[in-house]
Amino acid sequence: MNNKDISDILFAVAEYFTMFDEPFKARAYEKVAESLSSFDNDIRKIYKDGGRKSLEEISGIGKGIAQTIEEYIQTGRVRELESMRKKMPVNMEELRSIEGVGPKAIKTLYKKLKIKDVATLKKAALAGKIQKLENFGVKSEQKILKGIEFFESSRGRFLLGEALPIARRIADDLRNVSGVSRVEIAGSIRRWCETSGDIDILVEASNADAVMSTFTKREDVAHIIAHGETKSSVRLKDGIDVDVRVVAKKSFGAALIYFTGSKDHNVLLRSLAIKKKLKLNEYGLYNGARIIAGATEEGVYKSLGISIPPPELREGKNELKKVFTKLIGFQDLRGDFQTQTDWTDGVDSIEAMVRTAKQLGHEYIAITDHTKSLAMTGGSDEKKLRRQMREIDVLNKKISGIQILKGAEVNIMRDGTLDISDEVLGELDIVGAAVHSHFNLSESEQTERIMRAMSNPHIDILFHPTGRVLKKRDPYALDIDKIVAHAVATGTVLEIDAHPWRLDLKDDHIKRGVDAGAMFSIDTDAHSLAELSYLEYGIGQARRAGLSKNRVLNTLALPALQKFLATPKQKRHLL
DNA sequence: GCCGTTTTCGGCCCGACTGTTTTCAGTCG
């Protein structure tokens, strides 16, 4: 049981309260659930050390919620939730993942049509039963069907941001098994693909038995799919499948190539081997019966006469023929240009965000809270922005070793104008612009709108350019090549939003930018301290696109960055 | 259910958008 489990339970309670028309209780639970999901300290430990009282010291937690958390920690259950579930036994998590279906809709759907999950929802929608319900119509029925389509196409695949932490946890545990000398995460995760179907882990060990039994007996295993001498598969309680294989040292490199993939890459490699009258499999590269390489990846590629491609580029395209430009490295970024704080919809204070960024080794961090037309976030108007600038001045004096840049995530209005005056934008160090509404404009309208915003001399970066949310919302209709060309023409930097739900721009779009000569930034879009470590997801996407360090703004040291920002937009360049 | 330099009771971030309606409920962020 960790913070996420507790957070999930509180979310569930909140959802039910919403259904039972208790909006304020719901909001109270929701708030705590949100803050716990990115809370740095272990709640269970806080409770064990200081009891219920210490829970109540956390902002947002009072007597009631402290009791709920206590009950859950002690018994693993929450009676109130169970009794509400009895009244309305629906698969809330599944139904809520359909866009446009909220708690109230779920309530009506259950009461009128006994809809419990996506399967029964789909049946009812296809039968035209939903459009007849009060407050529903033909359009809402169609919207639900579209949502189900989306749900089905992305089911079974996990976001990189979900799969990678799980894979690392398992890999770390396996490293502690005696006799284990090496553990690597392979598969699509190693290639930094934005989603993964499963987790592949490769182990080099003298004692395969111990590895297999430790792995299959994990607490987070829901059931064992296979348990063999060198290979086991399990399904975790999270729903994701994990394969672990144990291989001998002399085959580790060949196995790592094989299990890293992609499938298409392996096909290319094997046909290359055949051309050279060799044979490649997961145990090694063979000349007849004699093994000529296998212990290391380098050795196998070298014996095939090619240089080793970074895992991110092993997609079965032209990676065997290509000479690789040096990709941006995971340690190359010196700062972050998109972060939100508790001034708007972030969780943590500016000071806390800055101190954490400093711990991460950043030389600078831009504070980019939302602006006024995003009222739901408490977005800043000109006055509030100026107040924030004064606070940043104070903090810059107080905190040494990192520069805080005054910024904003300015909202792009329907017509492409901005919701903050040019005068105030001019006072900021760095400004990002982003779309948060009117997602349904035609491609040409949407493209024109964004290009107009990019033409503003104060807009340094276009934030999350296509607006997608993985597994949830498609990107808005956009002519990406026009946007890229306009970025180059105006000197606007294109963001690679590293937030694991966004990864926006995506790899293919980054590639188009690379080809067109655009400049990029890689930012976390962090709304809490924990999210400040998301940069690696963006770097992974950048590497998949072949992006090199010298095209990325936040690889610059602070003085060079300041010089860049002091240059008029049109004249800016990185190379 | 939580909280207090506008309150220990009475509010609770709130505006846009959609699709349903004919003045509004639900969802989203």
mmCIF file of all heavy atoms in Angstrom, chain A residues 66-99:
data_model
loop_
_atom_site.group_PDB
_atom_site.id
_atom_site.type_symbol
_atom_site.label_atom_id
_atom_site.label_comp_id
_atom_site.label_asym_id
_atom_site.label_seq_id
_atom_site.Cartn_x
_atom_site.Cartn_y
_atom_site.Cartn_z
ATOM 1 N N ALA A 66 -9.011 11.922 7.735
ATOM 2 C CA ALA A 66 -7.973 11.230 8.509
ATOM 3 C C ALA A 66 -8.492 9.865 8.954
ATOM 4 O O ALA A 66 -7.772 8.869 8.897
ATOM 5 C CB ALA A 66 -7.564 12.067 9.712
ATOM 6 N N GLN A 67 -9.756 9.835 9.358
ATOM 7 C CA GLN A 67 -10.352 8.570 9.791
ATOM 8 C C GLN A 67 -10.450 7.585 8.628
ATOM 9 O O GLN A 67 -10.149 6.396 8.782
ATOM 10 C CB GLN A 67 -11.762 8.837 10.343
ATOM 11 C CG GLN A 67 -11.953 8.339 11.740
ATOM 12 C CD GLN A 67 -13.256 8.846 12.342
ATOM 13 O OE1 GLN A 67 -14.300 8.784 11.705
ATOM 14 N NE2 GLN A 67 -13.174 9.376 13.539
ATOM 15 N N THR A 68 -10.852 8.117 7.465
ATOM 16 C CA THR A 68 -10.938 7.254 6.280
ATOM 17 C C THR A 68 -9.570 6.645 5.960
ATOM 18 O O THR A 68 -9.455 5.446 5.699
ATOM 19 C CB THR A 68 -11.418 8.073 5.066
ATOM 20 O OG1 THR A 68 -12.651 8.707 5.408
ATOM 21 C CG2 THR A 68 -11.628 7.176 3.862
ATOM 22 N N ILE A 69 -8.538 7.496 5.996
ATOM 23 C CA ILE A 69 -7.196 7.007 5.684
ATOM 24 C C ILE A 69 -6.758 5.979 6.723
ATOM 25 O O ILE A 69 -6.202 4.931 6.396
ATOM 26 C CB ILE A 69 -6.187 8.181 5.619
ATOM 27 C CG1 ILE A 69 -6.539 9.108 4.449
ATOM 28 C CG2 ILE A 69 -4.760 7.663 5.479
ATOM 29 C CD1 ILE A 69 -5.677 10.365 4.370
ATOM 30 N N GLU A 70 -7.046 6.262 7.986
ATOM 31 C CA GLU A 70 -6.685 5.337 9.059
ATOM 32 C C GLU A 70 -7.355 3.974 8.843
ATOM 33 O O GLU A 70 -6.713 2.922 8.905
ATOM 34 C CB GLU A 70 -7.118 5.898 10.415
ATOM 35 C CG GLU A 70 -6.837 4.958 11.575
ATOM 36 C CD GLU A 70 -7.217 5.591 12.910
ATOM 37 O OE1 GLU A 70 -8.380 6.038 13.051
ATOM 38 O OE2 GLU A 70 -6.355 5.660 13.794
ATOM 39 N N GLU A 71 -8.644 4.019 8.533
ATOM 40 C CA GLU A 71 -9.378 2.767 8.327
ATOM 41 C C GLU A 71 -8.767 1.977 7.174
ATOM 42 O O GLU A 71 -8.565 0.762 7.267
ATOM 43 C CB GLU A 71 -10.855 3.066 8.027
ATOM 44 C CG GLU A 71 -11.714 1.811 7.949
ATOM 45 C CD GLU A 71 -13.101 2.086 7.390
ATOM 46 O OE1 GLU A 71 -13.420 3.261 7.125
ATOM 47 O OE2 GLU A 71 -13.863 1.114 7.213
ATOM 48 N N TYR A 72 -8.421 2.703 6.129
ATOM 49 C CA TYR A 72 -7.877 2.024 4.950
ATOM 50 C C TYR A 72 -6.506 1.421 5.255
ATOM 51 O O TYR A 72 -6.217 0.286 4.876
ATOM 52 C CB TYR A 72 -7.797 3.001 3.777
ATOM 53 C CG TYR A 72 -7.299 2.353 2.507
ATOM 54 C CD1 TYR A 72 -7.983 1.274 1.951
ATOM 55 C CD2 TYR A 72 -6.148 2.809 1.869
ATOM 56 C CE1 TYR A 72 -7.524 0.663 0.800
ATOM 57 C CE2 TYR A 72 -5.684 2.212 0.716
ATOM 58 C CZ TYR A 72 -6.371 1.131 0.180
ATOM 59 O OH TYR A 72 -5.915 0.537 -0.948
ATOM 60 N N ILE A 73 -5.666 2.159 5.970
ATOM 61 C CA ILE A 73 -4.338 1.642 6.307
ATOM 62 C C ILE A 73 -4.457 0.427 7.216
ATOM 63 O O ILE A 73 -3.763 -0.572 7.047
ATOM 64 C CB ILE A 73 -3.473 2.736 6.979
ATOM 65 C CG1 ILE A 73 -3.084 3.804 5.944
ATOM 66 C CG2 ILE A 73 -2.215 2.130 7.600
ATOM 67 C CD1 ILE A 73 -2.306 4.977 6.527
ATOM 68 N N GLN A 74 -5.379 0.503 8.175
ATOM 69 C CA GLN A 74 -5.473 -0.586 9.155
ATOM 70 C C GLN A 74 -6.176 -1.824 8.617
ATOM 71 O O GLN A 74 -5.793 -2.944 8.920
ATOM 72 C CB GLN A 74 -6.209 -0.087 10.401
ATOM 73 C CG GLN A 74 -5.338 0.833 11.239
ATOM 74 C CD GLN A 74 -5.944 1.095 12.599
ATOM 75 O OE1 GLN A 74 -7.139 0.880 12.804
ATOM 76 N NE2 GLN A 74 -5.133 1.576 13.523
ATOM 77 N N THR A 75 -7.228 -1.607 7.817
ATOM 78 C CA THR A 75 -8.046 -2.762 7.415
ATOM 79 C C THR A 75 -8.016 -3.019 5.915
ATOM 80 O O THR A 75 -8.504 -4.053 5.459
ATOM 81 C CB THR A 75 -9.522 -2.538 7.818
ATOM 82 O OG1 THR A 75 -10.049 -1.459 7.013
ATOM 83 C CG2 THR A 75 -9.645 -2.187 9.279
ATOM 84 N N GLY A 76 -7.475 -2.071 5.155
ATOM 85 C CA GLY A 76 -7.483 -2.238 3.713
ATOM 86 C C GLY A 76 -8.857 -2.000 3.113
ATOM 87 O O GLY A 76 -9.087 -2.280 1.931
ATOM 88 N N ARG A 77 -9.778 -1.510 3.913
ATOM 89 C CA ARG A 77 -11.136 -1.275 3.406
ATOM 90 C C ARG A 77 -11.611 0.114 3.812
ATOM 91 O O ARG A 77 -11.072 0.728 4.728
ATOM 92 C CB ARG A 77 -12.119 -2.288 4.015
ATOM 93 C CG ARG A 77 -11.732 -3.718 3.799
ATOM 94 C CD ARG A 77 -12.559 -4.656 4.673
ATOM 95 N NE ARG A 77 -13.998 -4.390 4.578
ATOM 96 C CZ ARG A 77 -14.908 -5.014 5.329
ATOM 97 N NH1 ARG A 77 -14.542 -5.913 6.208
ATOM 98 N NH2 ARG A 77 -16.177 -4.704 5.198
ATOM 99 N N VAL A 78 -12.637 0.583 3.127
ATOM 100 C CA VAL A 78 -13.314 1.803 3.538
ATOM 101 C C VAL A 78 -14.807 1.502 3.497
ATOM 102 O O VAL A 78 -15.396 1.361 2.431
ATOM 103 C CB VAL A 78 -12.964 2.990 2.612
ATOM 104 C CG1 VAL A 78 -13.776 4.209 2.969
ATOM 105 C CG2 VAL A 78 -11.473 3.312 2.693
ATOM 106 N N ARG A 79 -15.385 1.350 4.687
ATOM 107 C CA ARG A 79 -16.782 0.919 4.757
ATOM 108 C C ARG A 79 -17.726 1.836 3.998
ATOM 109 O O ARG A 79 -18.632 1.386 3.302
ATOM 110 C CB ARG A 79 -17.259 0.882 6.214
ATOM 111 C CG ARG A 79 -16.835 -0.344 6.942
ATOM 112 C CD ARG A 79 -16.837 -0.044 8.444
ATOM 113 N NE ARG A 79 -15.970 -0.995 9.137
ATOM 114 C CZ ARG A 79 -16.394 -2.179 9.551
ATOM 115 N NH1 ARG A 79 -17.637 -2.553 9.362
ATOM 116 N NH2 ARG A 79 -15.559 -2.995 10.156
ATOM 117 N N GLU A 80 -17.500 3.133 4.157
ATOM 118 C CA GLU A 80 -18.401 4.079 3.508
ATOM 119 C C GLU A 80 -18.380 3.877 1.989
ATOM 120 O O GLU A 80 -19.409 3.893 1.331
ATOM 121 C CB GLU A 80 -17.986 5.517 3.853
ATOM 122 C CG GLU A 80 -18.989 6.538 3.348
ATOM 123 C CD GLU A 80 -18.872 7.875 4.049
ATOM 124 O OE1 GLU A 80 -17.772 8.173 4.559
ATOM 125 O OE2 GLU A 80 -19.866 8.620 4.062
ATOM 126 N N LEU A 81 -17.176 3.662 1.460
ATOM 127 C CA LEU A 81 -17.047 3.420 0.022
ATOM 128 C C LEU A 81 -17.758 2.128 -0.365
ATOM 129 O O LEU A 81 -18.480 2.067 -1.360
ATOM 130 C CB LEU A 81 -15.564 3.350 -0.359
ATOM 131 C CG LEU A 81 -15.261 3.045 -1.822
ATOM 132 C CD1 LEU A 81 -15.800 4.144 -2.727
ATOM 133 C CD2 LEU A 81 -13.760 2.886 -2.048
ATOM 134 N N GLU A 82 -17.590 1.106 0.461
ATOM 135 C CA GLU A 82 -18.212 -0.176 0.146
ATOM 136 C C GLU A 82 -19.730 -0.076 0.131
ATOM 137 O O GLU A 82 -20.392 -0.664 -0.726
ATOM 138 C CB GLU A 82 -17.760 -1.240 1.148
ATOM 139 C CG GLU A 82 -16.324 -1.683 0.867
ATOM 140 C CD GLU A 82 -15.790 -2.673 1.894
ATOM 141 O OE1 GLU A 82 -16.571 -3.098 2.770
ATOM 142 O OE2 GLU A 82 -14.599 -3.005 1.809
ATOM 143 N N SER A 83 -20.279 0.694 1.061
ATOM 144 C CA SER A 83 -21.744 0.786 1.083
ATOM 145 C C SER A 83 -22.249 1.597 -0.110
ATOM 146 O O SER A 83 -23.309 1.306 -0.670
ATOM 147 C CB SER A 83 -22.231 1.351 2.424
ATOM 148 O OG SER A 83 -22.121 2.756 2.425
ATOM 149 N N MET A 84 -21.468 2.593 -0.524
ATOM 150 C CA MET A 84 -21.882 3.346 -1.714
ATOM 151 C C MET A 84 -21.757 2.486 -2.969
ATOM 152 O O MET A 84 -22.585 2.551 -3.867
ATOM 153 C CB MET A 84 -21.036 4.623 -1.850
ATOM 154 C CG MET A 84 -21.355 5.662 -0.789
ATOM 155 S SD MET A 84 -20.642 7.295 -1.121
ATOM 156 C CE MET A 84 -18.909 7.016 -0.899
ATOM 157 N N ARG A 85 -20.713 1.653 -2.980
ATOM 158 C CA ARG A 85 -20.519 0.761 -4.126
ATOM 159 C C ARG A 85 -21.664 -0.237 -4.236
ATOM 160 O O ARG A 85 -22.049 -0.632 -5.327
ATOM 161 C CB ARG A 85 -19.199 0.001 -3.983
ATOM 162 C CG ARG A 85 -18.041 0.762 -4.576
ATOM 163 C CD ARG A 85 -16.823 -0.140 -4.762
ATOM 164 N NE ARG A 85 -15.741 0.612 -5.385
ATOM 165 C CZ ARG A 85 -14.464 0.563 -5.021
ATOM 166 N NH1 ARG A 85 -14.097 -0.212 -4.017
ATOM 167 N NH2 ARG A 85 -13.568 1.284 -5.655
ATOM 168 N N LYS A 86 -22.167 -0.654 -3.083
ATOM 169 C CA LYS A 86 -23.286 -1.596 -3.066
ATOM 170 C C LYS A 86 -24.501 -0.962 -3.722
ATOM 171 O O LYS A 86 -25.212 -1.596 -4.501
ATOM 172 C CB LYS A 86 -23.602 -1.969 -1.622
ATOM 173 C CG LYS A 86 -23.689 -3.467 -1.406
ATOM 174 C CD LYS A 86 -23.966 -3.761 0.048
ATOM 175 C CE LYS A 86 -23.695 -5.220 0.360
ATOM 176 N NZ LYS A 86 -23.628 -5.437 1.812
ATOM 177 N N LYS A 87 -24.716 0.296 -3.397
ATOM 178 C CA LYS A 87 -25.882 0.985 -3.972
ATOM 179 C C LYS A 87 -25.723 1.178 -5.468
ATOM 180 O O LYS A 87 -26.704 1.293 -6.198
ATOM 181 C CB LYS A 87 -26.037 2.365 -3.305
ATOM 182 C CG LYS A 87 -26.666 2.291 -1.930
ATOM 183 C CD LYS A 87 -26.927 3.705 -1.421
ATOM 184 C CE LYS A 87 -26.918 3.723 0.107
ATOM 185 N NZ LYS A 87 -26.573 5.027 0.649
ATOM 186 N N MET A 88 -24.477 1.284 -5.915
ATOM 187 C CA MET A 88 -24.235 1.575 -7.331
ATOM 188 C C MET A 88 -23.022 0.778 -7.808
ATOM 189 O O MET A 88 -21.927 1.321 -7.922
ATOM 190 C CB MET A 88 -23.986 3.078 -7.479
ATOM 191 C CG MET A 88 -23.986 3.545 -8.876
ATOM 192 S SD MET A 88 -25.360 4.556 -9.405
ATOM 193 C CE MET A 88 -26.135 5.142 -7.968
ATOM 194 N N PRO A 89 -23.244 -0.519 -8.079
ATOM 195 C CA PRO A 89 -22.090 -1.376 -8.393
ATOM 196 C C PRO A 89 -21.633 -1.229 -9.843
ATOM 197 O O PRO A 89 -21.958 -2.048 -10.692
ATOM 198 C CB PRO A 89 -22.629 -2.792 -8.134
ATOM 199 C CG PRO A 89 -24.092 -2.678 -8.379
ATOM 200 C CD PRO A 89 -24.501 -1.262 -8.101
ATOM 201 N N VAL A 90 -20.887 -0.169 -10.093
ATOM 202 C CA VAL A 90 -20.417 0.061 -11.464
ATOM 203 C C VAL A 90 -18.890 0.076 -11.489
ATOM 204 O O VAL A 90 -18.258 0.355 -10.483
ATOM 205 C CB VAL A 90 -20.929 1.408 -12.018
ATOM 206 C CG1 VAL A 90 -22.435 1.385 -12.150
ATOM 207 C CG2 VAL A 90 -20.477 2.565 -11.152
ATOM 208 N N ASN A 91 -18.348 -0.226 -12.633
ATOM 209 C CA ASN A 91 -16.900 -0.119 -12.831
ATOM 210 C C ASN A 91 -16.568 1.338 -13.134
ATOM 211 O O ASN A 91 -16.482 1.765 -14.265
ATOM 212 C CB ASN A 91 -16.442 -1.027 -13.971
ATOM 213 C CG ASN A 91 -14.924 -1.064 -14.076
ATOM 214 O OD1 ASN A 91 -14.235 -0.153 -13.619
ATOM 215 N ND2 ASN A 91 -14.412 -2.120 -14.671
ATOM 216 N N MET A 92 -16.419 2.076 -12.032
ATOM 217 C CA MET A 92 -16.275 3.526 -12.124
ATOM 218 C C MET A 92 -15.050 3.928 -12.939
ATOM 219 O O MET A 92 -15.122 4.770 -13.825
ATOM 220 C CB MET A 92 -16.139 4.069 -10.703
ATOM 221 C CG MET A 92 -15.990 5.545 -10.627
ATOM 222 S SD MET A 92 -17.575 6.326 -10.709
ATOM 223 C CE MET A 92 -18.093 6.108 -9.027
ATOM 224 N N GLU A 93 -13.934 3.299 -12.637
ATOM 225 C CA GLU A 93 -12.688 3.689 -13.279
ATOM 226 C C GLU A 93 -12.798 3.538 -14.793
ATOM 227 O O GLU A 93 -12.385 4.405 -15.553
ATOM 228 C CB GLU A 93 -11.555 2.819 -12.732
ATOM 229 C CG GLU A 93 -10.195 3.443 -12.900
ATOM 230 C CD GLU A 93 -9.083 2.449 -12.607
ATOM 231 O OE1 GLU A 93 -9.347 1.417 -11.961
ATOM 232 O OE2 GLU A 93 -7.954 2.715 -13.040
ATOM 233 N N GLU A 94 -13.392 2.410 -15.200
ATOM 234 C CA GLU A 94 -13.524 2.141 -16.628
ATOM 235 C C GLU A 94 -14.461 3.152 -17.284
ATOM 236 O O GLU A 94 -14.124 3.762 -18.295
ATOM 237 C CB GLU A 94 -14.059 0.710 -16.803
ATOM 238 C CG GLU A 94 -13.860 0.156 -18.188
ATOM 239 C CD GLU A 94 -14.376 -1.268 -18.294
ATOM 240 O OE1 GLU A 94 -13.666 -2.187 -17.852
ATOM 241 O OE2 GLU A 94 -15.484 -1.457 -18.822
ATOM 242 N N LEU A 95 -15.623 3.359 -16.677
ATOM 243 C CA LEU A 95 -16.602 4.271 -17.283
ATOM 244 C C LEU A 95 -16.083 5.708 -17.308
ATOM 245 O O LEU A 95 -16.311 6.448 -18.257
ATOM 246 C CB LEU A 95 -17.926 4.199 -16.511
ATOM 247 C CG LEU A 95 -18.713 2.902 -16.743
ATOM 248 C CD1 LEU A 95 -19.883 2.806 -15.772
ATOM 249 C CD2 LEU A 95 -19.223 2.821 -18.183
ATOM 250 N N ARG A 96 -15.355 6.084 -16.261
ATOM 251 C CA ARG A 96 -14.843 7.455 -16.192
ATOM 252 C C ARG A 96 -13.777 7.713 -17.246
ATOM 253 O O ARG A 96 -13.494 8.857 -17.580
ATOM 254 C CB ARG A 96 -14.262 7.731 -14.795
ATOM 255 C CG ARG A 96 -15.293 7.925 -13.738
ATOM 256 C CD ARG A 96 -16.044 9.240 -13.911
ATOM 257 N NE ARG A 96 -15.298 10.359 -13.362
ATOM 258 C CZ ARG A 96 -14.919 11.397 -14.053
ATOM 259 N NH1 ARG A 96 -15.169 11.456 -15.344
ATOM 260 N NH2 ARG A 96 -14.275 12.381 -13.484
ATOM 261 N N SER A 97 -13.171 6.633 -17.746
ATOM 262 C CA SER A 97 -12.126 6.843 -18.742
ATOM 263 C C SER A 97 -12.717 7.134 -20.122
ATOM 264 O O SER A 97 -12.000 7.430 -21.064
ATOM 265 C CB SER A 97 -11.195 5.628 -18.793
ATOM 266 O OG SER A 97 -11.857 4.541 -19.375
ATOM 267 N N ILE A 98 -14.040 7.032 -20.249
ATOM 268 C CA ILE A 98 -14.692 7.435 -21.489
ATOM 269 C C ILE A 98 -14.899 8.943 -21.432
ATOM 270 O O ILE A 98 -15.554 9.451 -20.516
ATOM 271 C CB ILE A 98 -16.066 6.742 -21.651
ATOM 272 C CG1 ILE A 98 -15.927 5.224 -21.540
ATOM 273 C CG2 ILE A 98 -16.720 7.162 -22.960
ATOM 274 C CD1 ILE A 98 -15.183 4.571 -22.664
ATOM 275 N N GLU A 99 -14.326 9.638 -22.376
ATOM 276 C CA GLU A 99 -14.423 11.091 -22.315
ATOM 277 C C GLU A 99 -15.866 11.549 -22.431
ATOM 278 O O GLU A 99 -16.634 11.035 -23.247
ATOM 279 C CB GLU A 99 -13.579 11.758 -23.409
ATOM 280 C CG GLU A 99 -13.071 13.102 -22.921
ATOM 281 C CD GLU A 99 -12.539 13.979 -24.043
ATOM 282 O OE1 GLU A 99 -12.282 13.467 -25.140
ATOM 283 O OE2 GLU A 99 -12.398 15.191 -23.790
#
